[in-house]
Amino acid sequence: MTKNRLANEKSIYLQSHADDPVDWYPWGTEAFQKATTEEKPIFLSIGYSACHWCHVMQKECFKNTEIADMLNRNFVPIKVDREEHTDIDEIYMHAVVQMTGSGGWPLSVFLTPDLKPFFGGTYFPPYSIGQHPGFLDILRYIQQLWIQKREQLETTSSNFLTLIQSHLTLPAGQSEGLDYQPLIDRAVASLYQSFDRDNGGWGIEPKFPPNLVLPFLLHYASVFNDARAKEMVEKTLVYLAISGLHDHVGGGFHRYCTDRVWHVPHFEKMLYDNAQLANIYLQYTAHTENHFLKFVGKRTLDYLISELYNSEEGFFSSQDADSEHEEGKFYVWEYEEIKNILGENAESFCKYFGVEKEGNWREFSIRDKGMAKGKNILDHKYVGENYNNWKIFTNQYFDFLPHINKLFSIRNHREKPLRDNKCITSWNALAISACIKGSIYIADEAYMMIAAKTAEHFLQDYKKLGFLPHVLHNPKIEGFIEDYALFTNALLDLYEAMLDDRWIENAIMLAERMIHQFWDSEGVGFYRTSQSIRNHYRVSSKPILDHQEPSGNATAAMALARLGFLVNSEYLDMAEQLCQGYYNWIQRVPEAFPAWLDTMLFLKCKPVECTIFSQGAKLLPAPMLTKMYHSQYPYFIMKKNKDIAREPRGSITLFCHNQTCSAPVYNIDEIIPAIKNLTKIKSI
């Protein structure tokens, strides 16, 4: 069978569609010119490798020769990997949400030849089922619209694109002197009011791990000794760790759960989720004597390294939800299977993890109105026992580790879910930062070496290409604002832990290009795409909303704030300009902007500046940094003393905060009292 154009693409998601009978084009001028020349509408399909319903629609629709023939004759079909083109995905996802009230993947959008959207949705079955329209009928409907009402579609889509542009580039103000504290306090109060005390986290189904809310609340709890904020963090971390969202056998977390009690996951595993969750679990170890959460953090980090890390490149982006064409097959268990593996230990294990003979995974879909498959998701929380009792629960969990390891050895013989081998810059930056936290809290320099080696791969690409790519070794797409901002923060983390000047020099280099290429020279804020890309497309966004990853502008503000305290106050001024400029948007629903709030908290409370003397440098990264972070103050700026001759003899460091400095510190046991005295933190 002849392959289509996608066979030549680097993305394994696009390559997986190379055998489709659909005459797919990748996103680019060839497809646009064909649509213009032949006066055909574009069908744009956006998905990603780990997306279960993307695979379903491919099998049902894009492998269907009747549908393929309809697409090929009357449309120009374009397939996009959303993880490659987050900019394109953002624009058309926003369009579909505006059209239908919801979004998701696969994203299915119909465009005019000049790329203006006029109709869209997500997953469509091949043929109509009751009130659910089938894809073939939709294609026929769109074809008739295009023939009979093309002029009307052109006008409507132009107006619609103008609306999208206004939504994606919210204007920033020129405010000064606004106090962040009321905004921060209001967000914490709102989060406390809406907190799910029975299950942890926020919201109803589908329920995502609160990757960004947890660090903000932990930092708030640390600075203000706030018991409410600490309670929300602790409960959520515990409930996530004992739930079905957590892969108890292999480590790591799935992307989200389809229910509010964290029982049935959507089984794909994403690098960005696991990097951020490993980071917050490890950070929390400074706030508890219980070893369970540290164990979960380490195991999550080790999962990333064992399953997604390639030492010659970096961290791959995801693991699929499906294996052997079945969602979750790799992860679930039958009662008899566990009984055969564990023998006399099976009964207590099954009771602890909620395993049932008839299965505890119950599905609901259009086809199956509710069913039990005999499959089980390991989920202690599903049992409904007293998981609030930390000591009892964690002691029991560690007792079951030998049995978990037995299941792991058996599971390793199953067919593994496919890995997507893209090394995305922003997600690798999150993994680098998590590895650095691992080196500090676990006191294992192997994590630091992985972080440094990964950073070098991307910096080598920068030196070859003259820009930071969005995907390692892919020169077609320059990195987006989130790539530059998160990677700059990762380099600052490396400098903090290693005090090697090359990391700060490269951080400055990236920040300067970020400002030059992405900053709005006529207003405030960073665009998502560089100037050269903005010249080619009608819509350019300024991302400020935090989702599962921090928004590009919030992350850029944090990077600039950190650089401002380290090297140049002009960067600090720009960070303030961003936070002040978007203050009025954030104050509408402040709890929806946790990464911004974290940056505002950093600016409000200011970091502890730590000057490392030559004797102190010998203690990096552990045990010195470990002691510093166990002070529970969240923000530090590390500086290497340049004037060795003027160091206090025998001292290792000096701390300053808010223009007040401690006495020289001579041994690591003095570190925590010195920091707490400066910041007025009491033990939480």
Side-chain angles (χ1 to χ4, degrees):
M1 180 180 174
T2 303
K3 293 182 180 289
N4 60 44
R5 296 165 191 81
L6 301 186
N8 300 320
E9 293 297 305
K10 288 190 173 185
S11 159
I12 65 167
Y13 173 68
L14 297 184
Q15 290 172 13
S16 73
H17 285 268
D19 292 322
D20 293 352
V22 176
D23 188 21
W24 291 115
Y25 284 78
W27 181 266
T29 55
E30 184 183 4
F32 309 154
Q33 288 171 359
K34 178 180 173 66
T36 301
T37 301
E38 298 183 10
E39 297 186 340
K40 290 180 178 178
I42 291 169
F43 169 65
L44 174 64
S45 175
I46 303 179
Y48 60 102
S49 181
C51 168
H52 169 69
W53 286 102
C54 298
H55 299 318
V56 173
M57 191 165 176
Q58 178 186 20
K59 181 181 177 181
E60 294 179 344
C61 295
F62 304 142
K63 296 291 187 184
N64 182 311
T65 54
E66 183 182 13
I67 289 174
D69 182 62
M70 183 72 172
L71 273 172
N72 296 340
R73 282 188 292 108
N74 300 292
F75 301 86
V76 177
I78 298 177
K79 174 60 75 170
V80 164
D81 183 337
R82 71 167 290 257
E83 294 174 357
E84 280 192 334
H85 278 291
T86 58
D87 54 335
I88 304 304
D89 179 65
E90 178 188 35
I91 292 166
Y92 294 112
M93 179 63 75
H94 191 81
V96 168
V97 170
Q98 291 296 309
M99 291 174 189
T100 68
S102 63
W105 298 277
L107 191 67
S108 306
V109 199
F110 293 88
L111 319 176
T112 63
D114 56 353
L115 309 181
K116 296 177 292 190
F118 61 86
F119 185 89
T122 54
Y123 162 79
F124 293 111
Y127 305 108
S128 298
I129 305 172
Q131 298 299 311
H132 297 273
F135 191 54
L136 189 60
D137 287 340
I138 287 171
L139 292 177
R140 290 169 178 153
Y141 171 69
I142 297 298
Q143 183 191 16
Q144 287 301 310
L145 273 182
W146 188 252
I147 293 170
Q148 298 171 3
K149 299 183 178 181
R150 180 175 172 181
E151 186 175 337
Q152 182 179 334
L153 288 179
E154 293 276 8
T155 302
T156 301
S157 63
S158 293
N159 294 336
F160 196 61
L161 200 67
T162 302
L163 177 67
I164 293 170
Q165 175 73 68
S166 68
H167 286 178
L168 294 179
T169 53
L170 297 175
Q174 300 288 339
S175 305
E176 292 183 8
L178 295 171
D179 187 1
Y180 303 134
Q181 193 65 51
L183 195 64
I184 292 167
D185 291 338
R186 186 154 60 88
V188 173
S190 179
L191 288 167
Y192 188 69
Q193 185 176 14
S194 60
F195 181 62
D196 185 345
R197 285 161 181 77
D198 294 326
N199 303 291
W202 291 264
I204 56 175
E205 68 277 357
K207 200 167 180 180
F208 291 80
N211 298 338
L212 302 177
V213 172
L214 294 177
F216 161 64
L217 286 176
L218 182 60
H219 299 161
Y220 183 91
S222 303
V223 171
F224 297 112
N225 194 16
D226 189 280
R228 299 174 308 161
K230 187 189 176 191
E231 176 195 15
M232 289 186 279
V233 175
E234 183 176 282
K235 277 191 173 183
T236 301
L237 291 176
V238 174
Y239 293 175
L240 291 180
I242 64 180
S243 74
L245 188 77
H246 183 207
D247 178 6
H248 297 276
V249 174
F253 291 84
H254 301 293
R255 184 164 166 252
Y256 66 88
C257 279
T258 60
D259 52 77
R260 69 178 301 171
V261 299
W262 307 109
H263 178 51
V264 179
H266 202 27
F267 288 93
E268 67 259 43
K269 289 180 173 180
M270 311 303 295
L271 173 59
Y272 60 80
D273 283 325
N274 283 284
Q276 291 177 99
L277 287 168
N279 197 320
I280 186 61
Y281 273 99
L282 291 170
Q283 282 188 57
Y284 196 75
T285 63
H287 298 258
T288 179
E289 295 180 359
N290 192 289
H291 297 295
F292 175 64
L293 296 183
K294 182 176 182 179
F295 165 79
V296 173
K298 181 181 186 303
R299 205 145 177 268
T300 304
L301 199 54
D302 289 344
Y303 156 75
L304 289 179
I305 293 167
S306 65
E307 294 297 332
L308 296 181
Y309 178 63
N310 180 331
S311 62
E312 298 306 312
E313 296 181 85
F315 289 87
F316 296 154
S317 63
S318 64
Q319 247 182 329
D320 210 326
D322 298 8
S323 57
E324 301 180 67
H325 308 290
E326 188 176 322
E327 184 183 11
K329 185 172 184 179
F330 182 74
Y331 298 103
V332 297
W333 302 87
E334 293 181 0
Y335 174 83
E336 291 297 330
E337 185 181 16
I338 291 176
K339 189 175 178 181
N340 290 336
I341 296 168
L342 299 183
E344 63 183 14
N345 297 307
E347 185 177 349
S348 60
F349 183 91
C350 289
K351 181 180 179 183
Y352 183 82
F353 281 107
V355 175
E356 300 173 346
K357 290 180 181 179
E358 66 275 17
N360 68 23
W361 177 13
R362 289 164 176 80
E363 286 192 320
F364 177 83
S365 69
I366 294 170
R367 298 178 186 78
D368 307 307
K369 297 301 182 183
M371 56 182 285
K373 285 188 170 182
K375 306 293 185 183
N376 287 278
I377 298 158
L378 301 187
D379 179 4
H380 178 75
K381 194 171 185 300
Y382 174 77
V383 181
E385 293 186 354
N386 185 16
Y387 40 78
N388 286 309
N389 191 317
W390 271 83
K391 185 171 288 188
I392 293 175
F393 168 71
T394 54
N395 286 344
Q396 288 177 333
Y397 195 95
F398 287 117
D399 289 342
F400 285 113
L401 279 182
H403 311 320
I404 287 173
N405 292 335
K406 280 188 180 180
L407 295 186
F408 179 74
S409 63
I410 296 297
R411 198 178 79 173
N412 263 354
H413 290 93
R414 297 177 179 176
E415 182 179 318
K416 285 189 174 183
L418 181 70
R419 291 186 307 187
D420 190 329
N421 63 1
K422 288 193 302 294
C423 292
I424 296 172
T425 302
S426 56
W427 299 0
N428 271 260
L430 293 169
I432 289 168
S433 295
C435 284
I436 294 165
K437 286 294 189 294
S439 73
I440 295 169
Y441 288 103
I442 303 171
D444 186 342
E445 288 201 34
Y447 296 118
M448 183 71 69
M449 296 305 103
I450 289 171
K453 189 171 185 179
T454 302
E456 287 289 4
H457 292 314
F458 288 87
L459 290 173
Q460 286 169 11
D461 258 18
Y462 185 97
K463 289 164 187 172
K464 289 178 186 176
L465 302 172
F467 59 81
L468 192 65
H470 174 58
V471 178
L472 188 68
H473 305 328
N474 186 347
K476 290 184 178 180
I477 310 169
E478 179 167 6
F480 304 116
I481 183 60
E482 60 267 26
D483 294 307
Y484 277 89
L486 281 168
F487 205 80
T488 300
N489 273 303
L491 293 176
L492 293 174
D493 289 342
L494 277 165
Y495 176 75
E496 181 178 287
M498 300 177 76
L499 291 185
D500 186 332
D501 288 342
R502 64 181 168 142
W503 302 123
I504 192 72
E505 290 164 2
N506 282 306
I508 294 169
M509 174 183 71
L510 292 184
E512 286 298 321
R513 181 169 178 86
M514 180 174 76
I515 294 167
H516 178 70
Q517 283 287 321
F518 295 83
W519 183 256
D520 180 0
S521 58
E522 298 178 356
V524 174
F526 289 97
Y527 287 103
R528 165 158 263 160
T529 53
S530 65
Q531 180 65 55
S532 57
I533 295 175
R534 293 201 303 278
N535 291 337
H536 289 89
Y537 298 129
R538 290 174 172 271
V539 176
S540 300
S541 71
K542 286 183 182 176
I544 66 168
L545 284 172
D546 295 327
H547 298 290
Q548 287 303 100
E549 309 154 64
S551 74
N553 272 286
T555 310
M558 178 61 89
L560 292 168
R562 295 173 73 186
L563 278 171
F565 280 102
L566 264 171
V567 296
N568 190 323
S569 62
E570 290 182 4
Y571 293 126
L572 192 59
D573 293 340
M574 188 171 279
E576 292 278 12
Q577 191 178 1
L578 276 167
C579 290
Q580 295 279 321
Y582 286 109
Y583 187 102
N584 287 334
W585 291 108
I586 296 167
Q587 73 171 348
R588 297 183 179 197
V589 192
E591 61 272 23
F593 297 85
W596 283 99
L597 297 175
D598 200 24
T599 301
M600 291 175 174
L601 190 62
F602 178 94
L603 291 168
K604 175 79 177 177
C605 299
K606 297 183 173 53
V608 171
E609 298 183 33
C610 177
T611 302
I612 305 294
F613 299 132
S614 53
Q615 292 291 358
K618 296 176 183 178
L619 297 172
L620 288 172
M624 192 169 178
L625 283 179
T626 305
K627 281 287 185 182
M628 286 174 54
Y629 278 96
H630 274 80
S631 72
Q632 300 179 355
Y633 196 76
Y635 308 122
F636 291 92
I637 292 294
M638 311 291 288
K639 295 182 178 180
K640 184 166 54 177
N641 183 45
K642 304 287 186 181
D643 189 357
I644 296 176
R646 299 186 66 180
E647 290 181 357
R649 187 181 298 273
S651 63
I652 59 174
T653 187
L654 177 72
F655 298 110
C656 297
H657 182 250
N658 257 345
Q659 301 178 328
T660 302
C661 294
S662 70
V665 173
Y666 289 89
N667 65 72
I668 61 171
D669 290 333
E670 299 173 10
I671 288 176
I672 292 177
I675 293 171
K676 289 195 172 184
N677 184 56
L678 270 179
T679 58
K680 310 304 181 190
I681 289 181
K682 299 176 182 178
S683 296
I684 298 177

